[in-house]
Structures are given as structure tokens and as C-alpha cells.
Amino acid sequence: MARRQRTDTIIQLQLRLKQTVKRTPVIFTRLAPAKVTVVYDTYWRFAAERQRIFFQRVNGEAPPWTDDPTLRQYKFTNAYRASDRVSQYLIRRVIYEGDQSLEEIVFRTLLFKFFNKVGTWELLERAFGTVWSTDYSVKHYGSVLERALSTGIPIYSAAYIMPSGGRSLIRERKHCMHLKLLERMMRDKLPDRLADAHSMKEAFELLRSYPTIGDFLAYQYVTDLNYSTILNYSEMEFVVPGPGARDGIRKCFEDLGGLNGTEIIKVIADRQESEFERLELPFQTLWGRRLQLIDCQNLFCEVDKYSRIEHPEISGVTGRTRIKQRYRISSAPIPYWYPPKWGLNERIKEGGQYVSSI
């Protein structure tokens, strides 16, 4: 706590943006200067343009929604994580449909997230009707997924790689391992333990304690569970930079000046309005909701990919140089709907857009 207070005080007193007519590198000051690269400004431009594209689609405008050739050619997530197609499906169709008891919400959410693929969820629904924890069977669920794999149907999302468990589980099919892991979680009374957690970090650590679940997945899962009614943490409370975000941070900052990745993300979230204003970018918030820590973390992941094309001379941690996924326009409209506790759904009905900066 003392370290956090000291950090916040130093940031508030010493953090200053240095800018000339030529827009020389922005410098953050803490104990030592944190120097940014050209990708730092790209981070904000990307966020503003990606969110502008989002509202173009929401308003029913015809494509193309941007003149940016990289954004037109390659697939990037939305500026707000909860606006992505899979997150929207999870929120509306998985979390808030069906039994709203603690056990069932946790069971459905984790089952969906282990595969993170709408097609896999709908495959299980067709096979079993309502997905319930009370009649869950690793054998039966595994058989359905095995049949899908045997016919060439992918059951895992390509969004991120799910670990297989390493040598200790090498003889077991990955989907069977995840089904057994879910069974273990429910047997361990994980839903009750999550509900009793006093902070987002504590809930994160509960998920992190299970095999194959590292920092990245534990943070993704606790964020998804926090969309529900069983957890109610602020998305500004806790953040863990994933591998992609660490790559993006490396590209945005030549020197972190003593800050770590988590602190950088918090500084970025705190400064969002002033940075959009500095760059004269009209940023449309999510119907009044500012970018949260999870969103700023994700944006670092996306700017890492974006800069592979726009700034190939600047390398990240992994040294990746290509973007794998091409953008394909989906004809299926999304009726955007967010966790009711955010208070956004009423604003969406009113049709208002909230623009920050100039």
C-alpha cells in the first residue's frame, strides 16, 4: 500500500508531458525519465480510429469505415474489450441467459472461456440442451467435442493459445484436460470462493492457482466473471499485462523510467483524456464509459500488431513481424448490450454518443 501511495504521489507531482511544435518524444518523469517512441502517439491514434470504426458500424453506415489500409486489411479487436463479438455473445447469451445462481454462472462462463468460441458453445447446446453443472459429464462432453474434431471442426478460438498442460498431461487430449479442470473447479467449490474474494486480485489469484492457468488467462477469466452479478469489482482496480501488452509497451516506450508494465497501464488509463486532447483526437467513449485498465491493456496488444505494419523498424519482446488474421466483414449485426450494472444499455436505447476531448 505504501509503495502504491508513493507511486501515485510521484506520478501526480512529477508526471509532465513535454512537447514542442515538432512533437519531440513525450517524457514521463518518476525516479528516472520514461522515454516514449513514435509508437506512443500511434497508440492513441489507433484507439481513436478503432472506436470511430465501431460507432460507424453501430450507426449502420456502409463499409469501408476507415481510410486506414492496415485497419481495413487486418483484424483488430475493439478499443473496448466488452464490445468485441465474442465478449458480447458471452455477456448476453452465456452469462445473463439461463439460471442466475452463483454455481451456474461460474460454470457456464468458464466452460465457454476454456474454448472461447461461439461455435463450440452452440455445439454443446445442441447436444445437451441447457448447459447445467448438475448433469455435467466429462465423458459425454468430451465425446461431443471429439466428434467435432474428427470431422475437422475447430473447437478452440484462434484469439489466443490455450496451454495443453505440458509433460504432466501430454497423454491427454487438450479438451479433455480442460473439461476435467472445470470438473475439479466445481468440486473445489470455486464459485463460493470467488464470491468470498475481497478484491479482483484475490479472485485472480484463486483462478491462477489452477494448473495451466497463468497470469494472462487468470486475468481474462476474472474480467469475464466480473461482467456477471456474482462479482462487482471496478475495472480500474487491477490489471495484469499479458504477453501482447508487454510487446506493445516495449514498442511504445524506449525506457520505462523505473515503472513496471502494470504501472504504465495505470498511468495510460489516467491520462487518456489529456493525451487525446494533446493529439487533437475526438475520442468517442463507450456511451460515457472511459477506457478501463483492461481496455488499455488490450490496446497495447493491438498496437503491437498494428505497428508491425506501420512501424516495422521498432521491435517488441517477441520480434514478431506479421499479422496473421485478415479482416472479414461479418454480415451478422450485433445488438450491443453490456452488463446492466454499468448503466449503458439505457443510453444505447437513447442513441446518445459521448465524445471526449476536442
Side-chain angles (χ1 to χ4, degrees):
M1 180 62 73
R3 181 186 176 193
R4 180 183 296 176
Q5 292 175 341
R6 183 171 66 255
T7 299
D8 291 345
T9 300
I10 292 171
I11 290 173
Q12 291 172 8
L13 294 177
Q14 295 183 313
L15 203 61
R16 293 294 183 269
L17 188 62
K18 295 184 178 180
Q19 175 185 1
T20 67
V21 175
K22 295 183 179 180
R23 287 194 179 135
T24 55
V26 182
I27 298 178
F28 290 106
T29 303
R30 186 193 183 215
L31 301 179
K35 299 179 181 178
V36 304
T37 70
V38 65
V39 183
Y40 180 77
D41 283 357
T42 298
Y43 176 97
W44 300 106
R45 293 193 176 99
F46 173 89
E49 183 64 6
R50 187 63 189 85
Q51 185 68 350
R52 192 184 72 82
I53 292 170
F54 168 78
F55 273 110
Q56 295 263 73
R57 299 199 64 172
V58 169
N59 295 335
E61 298 186 26
W65 300 289
T66 179
D67 294 328
D68 187 315
T70 302
L71 285 171
R72 290 174 67 170
Q73 187 174 1
Y74 297 100
K75 182 178 180 180
F76 295 94
T77 64
N78 279 291
Y80 287 83
R81 179 184 188 269
S83 296
D84 287 332
R85 185 173 292 272
V86 174
S87 292
Q88 279 290 302
Y89 188 95
L90 169 69
I91 293 167
R92 190 162 196 165
R93 289 287 313 280
V94 178
I95 294 178
Y96 283 92
E97 275 192 10
D99 189 292
Q100 291 299 294
S101 66
L102 171 64
E103 292 78 10
E104 296 303 326
I105 289 175
V106 172
F107 174 77
R108 291 197 305 270
T109 302
L110 291 177
L111 176 61
F112 180 89
K113 287 301 296 183
F114 280 161
F115 302 96
N116 204 38
K117 192 173 181 66
V118 171
T120 301
W121 177 260
E122 293 181 344
L123 176 69
L124 293 173
E125 281 192 319
R126 287 194 299 271
F128 300 104
T130 303
V131 176
W132 290 91
S133 67
T134 51
D135 56 9
Y136 175 62
S137 164
V138 171
K139 178 181 177 180
H140 294 153
Y141 277 58
S143 296
V144 171
L145 298 179
E146 189 66 47
R147 285 197 298 272
L149 286 171
S150 68
T151 59
I153 299 174
I155 61 173
Y156 284 94
S157 167
Y160 45 80
I161 298 173
M162 290 293 292
S164 60
R167 293 182 179 178
S168 62
L169 299 172
I170 198 167
R171 295 181 180 177
E172 189 168 47
R173 296 276 276 175
K174 185 163 69 171
H175 66 277
C176 292
M177 180 273 293
H178 283 123
L179 294 175
K180 288 182 179 179
L181 180 59
L182 180 57
E183 182 180 58
R184 174 180 167 182
M185 289 172 160
M186 300 305 292
R187 187 171 61 245
D188 289 349
K189 304 295 183 184
L190 179 62
D192 292 323
R193 294 163 64 203
L194 287 169
D196 290 339
H198 295 97
S199 67
M200 195 174 193
K201 182 179 181 181
E202 186 178 336
F204 160 86
E205 289 172 345
L206 283 171
L207 292 161
R208 179 69 178 81
S209 68
Y210 284 92
T212 76
I213 299 182
D215 287 352
F216 174 76
L217 288 179
Y219 181 51
Q220 297 298 312
Y221 294 167
V222 76
T223 299
D224 291 311
L225 289 165
N226 196 43
Y227 291 150
S228 73
T229 57
I230 65 171
L231 301 180
N232 193 28
Y233 306 121
S234 166
E235 288 193 335
M236 295 297 287
E237 176 183 330
F238 178 72
V239 66
V240 176
R246 290 195 293 269
D247 250 14
I249 291 170
R250 172 70 67 86
K251 290 182 179 181
C252 286
F253 290 88
E254 181 181 322
D255 185 336
L256 296 184
L259 295 171
N260 61 36
T262 296
E263 291 167 331
I264 283 289
I265 293 171
K266 289 181 178 180
V267 169
I268 290 294
D270 288 342
R271 295 187 58 81
Q272 58 187 275
E273 287 84 8
S274 62
E275 295 295 354
F276 286 127
E277 183 175 2
R278 174 179 69 86
L279 294 167
E280 301 181 357
L281 295 170
F283 179 74
Q284 295 176 263
T285 62
L286 192 68
W287 288 280
R289 184 178 177 85
R290 302 172 74 236
L291 290 169
Q292 304 291 294
L293 293 177
I294 182 66
D295 307 315
C296 294
Q297 192 273 163
N298 278 11
L299 282 167
F300 273 118
C301 299
E302 298 308 292
V303 83
D304 162 48
K305 293 190 298 183
Y306 183 80
S307 61
R308 294 174 199 173
I309 306 298
E310 298 296 321
H311 305 288
E313 73 284 1
I314 298 181
S315 61
V317 179
T318 62
R320 293 174 181 168
T321 58
R322 295 187 302 110
I323 304 175
K324 292 182 179 179
Q325 292 184 297
R326 299 274 178 161
Y327 177 66
R328 296 179 179 84
I329 296 177
S330 173
S331 58
I334 301 176
Y336 288 97
W337 193 85
Y338 298 89
K341 58 189 173 184
W342 291 0
L344 302 186
N345 298 323
E346 295 77 9
R347 298 175 188 175
I348 294 173
K349 289 180 181 179
E350 294 169 0
Q353 295 182 19
Y354 292 71
V355 181
S356 66
S357 304
I358 57 177

